Amino acid sequence: MEGGWERAREISRRVARGAADAGRAGVRAGKATADGTARATRATATGVKKVGRATRRLTHANGADRTGLGRLIELSAGNSAGDALVTVALASTVFFGVPVGEARGSVALYLVITMVPFALLAPFVGPILDRFRSGRRYVMAGTLFGRGLLCFAMAAAVGPGDLPTLFIGALGVLVLSKAYNVSRAAIMPSVLPADITLVSANARVALFTLVSAGVLVPVGAGLTAWLGSAAVLRVAMVAFLLLGVVAVRLPRHIDSPDLEEDGAAPRWRTLLKVGPTVAEAVWTNVAIRVFSGFLLFFLLFLVQDRAVPWLAAGPALDPLFDIPRTIALLAGAAGLGGLLGAVAANWTRNHAPQLLVLVTLAVTATTTVVTAIVFGVWTALAISLVTAFAQELGKLALDAIVQREIGEEVRSSTFGVVEAVLQLAWVTGGLIGLVLSLTRSHAPGLVTLSVALIAVFGWLLVSRRRRVRVAEDRLRRGGSGVADQRVETIDSTKPLTNPNA
């Protein structure tokens, strides 16, 4: 009996020692985990600080810190990140999970609806912004605050599935985003350092906006899957409100005085009054934008319908390219093309932007012809990359031309009309792509758009050659031709903001 009690006490002591050892091991593990977490947090914070300092050096290089260009670049990057969050959140609530047959009707309806606000507001946005040149910081802040409030309303509409509120909110965000871009483009010459050209400055802004959007898209997708669309919209709301405060704190010289011309009637900018140089760049970008919208929806629905060669026979033909992978690759090619377009614009800073816009159209037309003849997965990726490249590079060159050629008193009006026309062109191209995708064949769509692009390119070359001949004739007739030529090609009573542009 006594031996039994001894064995029981020994077992109890062993159990106690084991529990104590386990407790000490747990404490040590907790301390190690806490230390590891602290080290990881410090390393992350250090990495973030290094990335922030490197980004600040890039955005503030070449005198951009003195003129306010660096702060404008950072504000535009944040604006692009907020728009990316809104796009991801709305896509997960409205468009995912819709069958292909029904998606065509829904997408077509959305495209038509997006045309309405631009068609109605285009004649008014630009002149309104021109009227408030002395408060451009507050106009930009207003577009950001407005999007913050719309995000709050859309977040409240996600739970009950209030689609009208979501559509109206999405359209409002889209219009305010375009208004921000118009304001940002209009003030670019006033923050341009002496040793940076307009094309290079626009490219720097575009590069950082593309990178920020590219980073926030997967982050937003992860947050949407984890927290839901409503939470992501609330995050975007906070971001827009904070960015609005940053916009108010931009340098004061961004605001230009409202100088009224004596006896001059208010000038309303239209495409018929911008001069041939700007008009040529606009129509070139219109052609590229139509093709960009067409290609997006045309390829998307061809892939969804398995009407492309590498998907027609199912996984047995090429197991590496199924529908999700193909769409991801096409999206990645388009994103890479836009990034390369911004880099190329910065690299070609000393080249004439008028030449760049024509080169982008020529490259797009040539690639489209090749893709129509030899259509496959690699040519589809190539045309996606080239189209996005041409769209980004052509738009940056167009911005530089408008900023250089158009006087400040009507610059916002011009950008307002240009943005509206390009948006309508993209929507028109998307509708064409939806219709031609019903043929379930690549040939009709690509051949039709190839002919259209070549025709537009030829028309622009003929128009340019005609203008050159007229200018040469005037120069031969006398010295007055120089003044006539300047009046014809530059529709502005203001001198160039930066002679280096």
Side-chain angles (χ1 to χ4, degrees):
M1 185 68 178
E2 184 176 353
W5 283 110
E6 289 293 336
R7 285 195 299 271
R9 284 195 292 269
E10 180 65 23
I11 292 172
S12 299
R13 285 194 293 269
R14 289 179 181 178
V15 170
R17 284 197 299 269
D21 292 341
R24 286 192 292 271
V27 171
R28 288 194 297 270
K31 290 182 178 179
T33 302
D35 292 340
T37 303
R39 286 194 296 269
T41 302
R42 288 194 294 270
T44 302
T46 302
V48 171
K49 289 181 180 178
K50 289 182 179 180
V51 172
R53 286 195 292 267
T55 303
R56 176 59 62 91
R57 286 195 296 270
L58 291 174
T59 58
H60 287 224
N62 303 112
D65 56 335
R66 298 188 301 271
T67 62
L69 176 61
R71 295 169 66 179
L72 181 63
I73 292 174
E74 293 168 354
L75 178 64
S76 298
N79 172 76
S80 178
D83 284 340
L85 289 177
V86 174
T87 301
V88 172
L90 291 180
S92 63
T93 58
V94 179
F95 297 110
F96 283 7
V98 179
V100 175
E102 298 179 9
R104 278 190 174 88
S106 299
V107 171
L109 178 61
Y110 178 76
L111 288 173
V112 172
I113 292 176
T114 58
M115 296 177 67
V116 175
F118 285 97
L120 295 178
L121 297 178
F124 305 102
V125 171
I128 290 173
L129 295 177
D130 283 329
R131 287 287 184 179
F132 291 95
R133 295 199 305 274
S134 61
R136 281 174 173 161
R137 291 178 299 156
Y138 301 101
V139 170
M140 297 175 69
T143 64
L144 294 163
F145 289 140
R147 274 178 283 172
L149 296 177
L150 288 173
C151 287
F152 176 78
M154 289 188 293
V158 168
D162 187 359
L163 290 182
T165 300
L166 289 174
F167 270 110
I168 294 173
L171 293 177
V173 168
L174 183 61
V175 171
L176 290 176
S177 179
K178 294 297 183 181
Y180 172 88
N181 292 333
V182 168
S183 300
R184 190 267 305 162
I187 68 174
M188 184 65 72
S190 63
V191 297
L192 188 68
D195 53 350
I196 298 180
T197 63
L198 283 170
V199 175
S200 179
N202 290 328
R204 190 177 295 186
V205 173
L207 185 61
F208 280 93
T209 55
L210 287 172
V211 170
S212 63
V215 171
L216 263 295
V217 165
V219 172
L223 289 175
T224 301
W226 179 31
L227 301 174
S229 299
V232 174
L233 287 171
R234 292 188 179 96
V235 171
M237 175 195 70
V238 174
F240 281 129
L241 295 179
L242 293 176
L243 289 171
V245 176
V246 175
V248 174
R249 297 174 60 85
L250 287 172
R252 292 185 178 181
H253 65 263
I254 289 177
D255 299 331
S256 301
D258 292 327
L259 300 178
E260 296 293 339
E261 300 178 7
D262 295 336
R267 298 175 62 185
W268 288 69
R269 178 62 55 182
T270 68
L271 289 179
L272 300 178
K273 298 179 181 179
V274 295
T277 302
V278 177
E280 179 183 85
V282 170
W283 293 123
T284 303
N285 277 270
V286 165
I288 296 174
R289 198 62 66 96
V290 168
F291 183 71
S292 174
F294 158 81
L295 190 68
L296 171 63
F297 295 99
F298 183 69
L299 288 182
L300 175 63
F301 284 105
L302 283 187
V303 171
Q304 291 281 9
D305 291 336
R306 293 187 176 274
V308 290
W310 62 93
L311 295 175
L317 181 63
D318 194 343
L320 295 179
F321 295 104
D322 56 7
I323 292 178
R325 290 194 186 98
T326 299
I327 293 177
L329 287 173
L330 291 175
L336 178 61
L339 190 63
L340 292 177
V343 173
N346 188 57
W347 176 69
T348 59
R349 63 186 68 182
N350 295 323
H351 295 270
Q354 293 92 337
L355 178 62
L356 288 178
V357 292
L358 288 178
V359 169
T360 57
L361 181 58
V363 171
T364 304
T366 302
T367 310
T368 306
V369 172
V370 173
T371 305
I373 297 173
V374 187
F375 184 71
V377 61
W378 299 113
T379 53
L381 293 174
I383 191 62
S384 299
L385 187 146
V386 169
T387 302
F389 172 86
Q391 177 176 301
E392 186 67 28
L393 180 58
K395 181 57 168 61
L396 292 174
L398 169 62
D399 288 347
I401 292 172
V402 174
Q403 290 160 351
R404 186 187 66 185
E405 303 288 336
I406 302 300
E408 187 177 9
E409 72 280 0
V410 288
R411 189 177 296 144
S412 294
S413 300
T414 305
F415 272 116
V417 173
V418 168
E419 289 288 344
V421 169
L422 294 182
Q423 180 69 21
L424 296 179
W426 185 84
V427 170
T428 302
L431 293 174
I432 295 173
L434 285 176
V435 173
L436 292 181
S437 68
L438 294 173
T439 62
R440 299 177 62 86
S441 173
H442 71 277
L446 292 178
V447 171
T448 301
L449 269 294
S450 298
V451 173
L453 290 175
I454 294 173
V456 172
F457 182 68
W459 170 64
L460 291 173
L461 288 181
V462 171
S463 300
R464 169 171 283 206
R465 181 56 185 165
R466 186 182 299 115
R467 292 201 310 273
V468 171
R469 287 179 179 177
V470 170
E472 291 174 349
D473 292 340
R474 289 178 177 175
L475 287 174
R476 283 194 295 268
R477 287 199 301 268
S480 61
V482 176
D484 293 338
Q485 181 184 1
R486 179 158 182 84
V487 171
E488 179 186 9
T489 57
I490 300 180
D491 185 18
S492 174
T493 58
K494 301 285 184 181
L496 297 183
T497 305
N498 183 1
N500 294 327

